[in-house]
Amino acid sequence: MEPRQQTFSIWYFLAALVGLLLLQSVLFRPHAEDLTYSDFKTLLGKGKVVEVTLDRQAITGMVTADGLEAVLPKEKIEGLERYGKGAHRFVTARVDDPSLVPALEAAKVKFTGRVENTWLSTLLSWVLPAVVFVGVWSLLMRRMNPTGGLMSIGKSRAKVYVEKSTGVTFDDVAGIDEARAELVELVDFLKSPDRYRRLGGRIPKGALLVGPPGTGKTLLAKAVAGEAGVPFFSLSGSDFVEMFVGVGAARVRDLFEQAQAKAPTIIFIDELDALGKARGVGPVVGGHDEREQTLNQLLAEMDGFDTEKGVIILAATNRPEILDPALLRPGRFDRQIVIDRPDLKGREKILAVHTRGVTLAPSVDLGLIAARTAGFVGADLANLVNEAALGAARGGKATVEMEDFDAAIDRIVGGLERKSRVISPREKEIVAYHEAGHALVAESRPHADRVAKISIIPRGVAALGYTQQQPTEDRYLMTRAELLDRLDVLLGGRVAEEIVFGDVSTGAQDDLQKATDLVRHMVTRYGMSETLGLAALEGPRHPLFLQVPGASAREYSERTAAAIDDEVQVLLQAAHDRARETLTARRSALEALGKLLIDREVVDGENVRRLIAAHDPARESADNLACSDDGPTT
Ligand code: ADP
Ligand code: MG
Ligand code: ZN
């Protein structure tokens, strides 16, 4: 698009006005006087003036030829315009002379005033300030947004990248191979849609890149632009958000029109959350009409075009949880591509990409640097390499050495620690054994879900690590045995810390909260406690507004409350003991899994099971004849 052409020709308009002004002053300016005023008065006195027209600045009129000859030299008269028989037209500047009119009357000269034609100047005095104002305003608008002008307000500001113009290729993106593969496939859809449609499949309309800041979402999108070989419309969610209602919606419409005209194309909306925040939340006052309209327009456009036309929409966000659910529905962003913080190998690969242009000393071991930078994202690593190179240059070195990287890591870690994104080696160890404990207990219980993945890469502020379990089927009911196994798994992390370190950390807080809630529900709602029996002591929570003030929220006695508390303690303690028994029996597996986690940071379920099999407790404990039974204990 050519934004220049669309800017309203305000400047032409201005130029035309100024031109008119000049013209007017030329046209209507009185001619330089032919006569001096005194000559005019003399002629008037001699009765040589025939007629006179007075206006504010000049006196024009007719004077007899012989009269004129008396006051002007011959050549001058030649130059004057002849006007009628023996009379000359003259012009003289008007001076402030109160005796003029009496003199005219005395000479019996026919005289008249002239009503000046002032419409143009009046008009200008109104219009010009307005025009100047609008001009300045549109100039300011353009300052704020270099491509838009006054009339391009409803135009999308998508930058169109075509083919390799971003200079980024898939080679520049490292360590996030799965996401990369998905995008490569998406590009392939665009290039040869028929291959995929052959069997009746529908080409996805859009993909949403989700991941923490700095993990390379924007970079990946740029790489797609570089590799796809189709026009690539790139813009940020905040580009749509304007102060005028309806502008954002108009931009969305315009964007899709442009994109469809150039299909096959890719539209990339970065920072989608700026525009796609869930509707109807937040303060009611004032509302968010503009954003809602824009979002509705986007939804409508996404529904409106079909992928037959070859438009794929990519978007990126680091806050998928605040997105409007309508955006995530199938048929819109049907695919979500999760980009997580890179693991050890990924970090090493990213470091390799960013050190391509850096002169490294042979001592530099990228694997070691990767090991020291748990929790770093791609942007942090790029920053790290740059800091190290700058540090080495400052020290006047010929190459970047390991110590430069060490210094840079220390500096960056200091900054990140405050954002609690980096954990110390000691913490990493604790988290590793904690998660290993969860995983081992889960794998030792018949009713617990299988372990899908363990990770000790910190995520967000709260979770330092996580063990992901894969339910084998959808569950609507859970048996007591299943709940007890789940309880054991929850306590496994805490117990592992006890066993390995002889001490416990605050890391189990969330686990304990969940375990306590679970036990409490078992006792008070599900009738699963032998001592308290079948009575449902607590129903589902009533909404607050239904509660009568003063009425007790509790429907049981103090004695029962104390009994509930006791029973919760008993069940928790029992679960703790069971988990402890399991992990003690599998101590060597626990140690091995912990070490593996420290080493790799991410371990998948297959490897967990393989490792457990290698450290079979039956085989190990055969010596001390203490074969422990890992079956469900009740
Ligand atoms: P996001 O959009 O996810 O917040 P960016 O794509 O803007 O992150 O990444 C910022 C910078 O970090 C990139 O320009 C690149 O230099 C670096 N970077 C991030 N992730 C990677 C990666 N996977 N491989 C290589 N460089 C990366
Ligand atoms: Mg980004
Ligand atoms: Zn835990």
Side-chain angles (χ1 to χ4, degrees), residues 160-163 186-193 197 203 228-233 258-267 305-313:
V160 185
Y161 296 113
V162 185
E163 305 212 14
L186 215 59
V187 170
D188 209 36
F189 282 151
L190 268 190
K191 284 184 172 165
S192 41
R197 277 201 292 254
I203 306 284
V230 300
F232 190 86
F233 291 78
Q258 285 192 51
Q260 290 193 11
K262 291 211 171 101
T265 48
I266 297 174
I267 297 177
F305 77 91
D306 55 307
T307 29
E308 306 280 315
K309 295 207 181 104
V311 180
I312 283 185
I313 307 171

Side-chain angles (χ1 to χ4, degrees), residues 91-128:
V91 179
T92 183
R94 182 169 179 180
V95 295
D96 187 16
D97 178 5
S99 68
L100 176 62
V101 173
L104 287 170
E105 276 168 348
K108 300 220 169 49
V109 175
K110 201 165 90 186
F111 72 95
T112 173
R114 176 154 66 201
V115 180
E116 276 176 87
N117 200 349
T118 56
W119 66 270
L120 195 61
S121 54
T122 314
L123 186 74
L124 283 178
S125 70
W126 282 96
V127 168
L128 203 63

Side-chain angles (χ1 to χ4, degrees), residues 578-611:
R578 287 193 305 272
R580 190 169 177 107
E581 198 183 325
T582 305
L583 289 181
T584 317
R586 303 202 149 172
R587 176 77 193 251
S588 68
L590 178 65
E591 298 276 352
L593 186 54
K595 286 209 183 68
L596 188 68
L597 266 175
I598 294 171
D599 219 39
R600 293 217 207 136
E601 294 178 0
V602 180
V603 175
D604 64 20
E606 269 327 298
N607 283 325
V608 173
R609 283 180 279 281
R610 209 169 300 144
L611 186 139

Side-chain angles (χ1 to χ4, degrees), residues 486-522:
R486 173 170 289 193
L487 199 56
D488 292 4
V489 174
L490 280 173
L491 291 175
R494 163 67 161 238
V495 169
E497 289 182 39
E498 284 171 21
I499 292 176
V500 177
F501 301 102
D503 195 2
V504 289
S505 74
T506 54
Q509 181 199 350
D510 188 48
D511 297 335
L512 293 182
Q513 184 69 54
K514 281 193 193 132
T516 310
D517 287 348
L518 179 58
V519 172
R520 199 164 263 284
H521 283 166
M522 288 173 71

Side-chain angles (χ1 to χ4, degrees), residues 121-453:
S121 54
T122 314
L123 186 74
L124 283 178
S125 70
W126 282 96
V127 168
L128 203 63
V131 166
V132 167
F133 172 76
V134 168
V136 168
W137 180 62
S138 80
L139 201 73
L140 283 178
M141 291 288 284
R142 189 131 23 135
R143 268 290 159 78
M144 293 189 284
N145 146 43
T147 54
L150 182 67
M151 286 299 153
S152 62
I153 222 166
K155 303 289 175 191
S156 83
R157 303 166 184 166
K159 288 186 218 85
V160 185
Y161 296 113
V162 185
E163 305 212 14
K164 306 244 181 230
S165 63
T166 61
V168 179
T169 66
F170 282 131
D171 286 342
D172 297 314
V173 188
I176 44 177
D177 299 334
E178 286 164 36
R180 211 175 74 171
E182 289 218 38
L183 284 180
V184 170
E185 191 192 33
L186 215 59
V187 170
D188 209 36
F189 282 151
L190 268 190
K191 284 184 172 165
S192 41
D194 293 332
R195 208 168 85 216
Y196 295 91
R197 277 201 292 254
R198 198 169 50 95
L199 299 177
R202 192 175 52 82
I203 306 284
K205 274 191 185 170
L208 182 63
L209 299 169
V210 179
T215 43
K217 300 180 295 295
T218 307
L219 185 74
L220 201 53
K222 282 191 187 153
V224 172
E227 304 258 346
V230 300
F232 190 86
F233 291 78
S234 166
L235 72 178
S236 167
S238 56
D239 288 347
F240 292 107
V241 183
E242 280 290 338
M243 54 184 162
F244 303 118
V245 174
V247 173
R251 286 203 180 125
V252 171
R253 218 173 300 127
D254 182 59
L255 171 68
F256 278 81
E257 261 166 33
Q258 285 192 51
Q260 290 193 11
K262 291 211 171 101
T265 48
I266 297 174
I267 297 177
F268 174 56
I269 305 175
D270 208 351
E271 319 287 352
L272 180 68
D273 38 286
L275 140 81
K277 255 180 241 158
R279 289 162 293 185
V281 293
V284 185
V285 188
H288 289 285
D289 271 357
E290 159 62 0
R291 222 192 43 223
E292 269 180 37
Q293 265 196 27
T294 312
L295 177 56
N296 286 339
Q297 186 67 39
L298 178 67
L299 295 174
E301 292 289 348
M302 287 189 80
D303 287 344
F305 77 91
D306 55 307
T307 29
E308 306 280 315
K309 295 207 181 104
V311 180
I312 283 185
I313 307 171
L314 275 185
T317 179
N318 41 39
R319 301 164 74 194
E321 69 282 354
I322 65 165
L323 288 185
D324 198 285
L327 271 174
L328 305 178
R329 201 203 76 187
R332 282 156 188 168
F333 290 107
D334 354 43
R335 291 202 171 188
Q336 293 195 29
I337 302 178
V338 177
I339 305 187
D340 242 330
R341 295 180 198 283
D343 60 4
L344 192 69
K345 283 229 184 61
R347 290 199 299 272
E348 189 174 342
K349 283 190 206 149
I350 295 174
L351 281 169
V353 167
H354 286 282
T355 48
R356 274 193 305 219
V358 178
T359 324
L360 295 179
S363 68
V364 172
D365 180 353
L366 295 183
L368 216 60
I369 299 172
R372 283 199 55 197
T373 49
F376 275 42
V377 293
D380 297 331
L381 294 168
N383 182 22
L384 169 68
V385 172
N386 193 45
E387 287 278 320
L390 290 180
R394 205 180 307 127
K397 295 179 190 169
T399 56
V400 186
E401 292 164 16
M402 199 61 183
E403 60 178 39
D404 299 314
F405 279 101
D406 287 342
I409 291 173
D410 290 344
R411 192 142 12 114
I412 295 173
V413 163
L416 293 181
E417 247 164 17
R418 261 172 271 130
K419 296 184 211 151
S420 72
R421 257 171 54 190
V422 168
I423 53 175
S424 72
R426 170 72 181 165
E427 285 168 331
K428 187 170 164 183
E429 218 176 306
I430 296 177
V431 175
Y433 285 106
H434 177 107
E435 297 303 331
H438 283 309
L440 269 183
V441 175
E443 286 297 325
S444 318
R445 293 287 183 271
H447 303 297
D449 295 327
R450 297 306 96 200
V451 172
K453 183 173 149 191

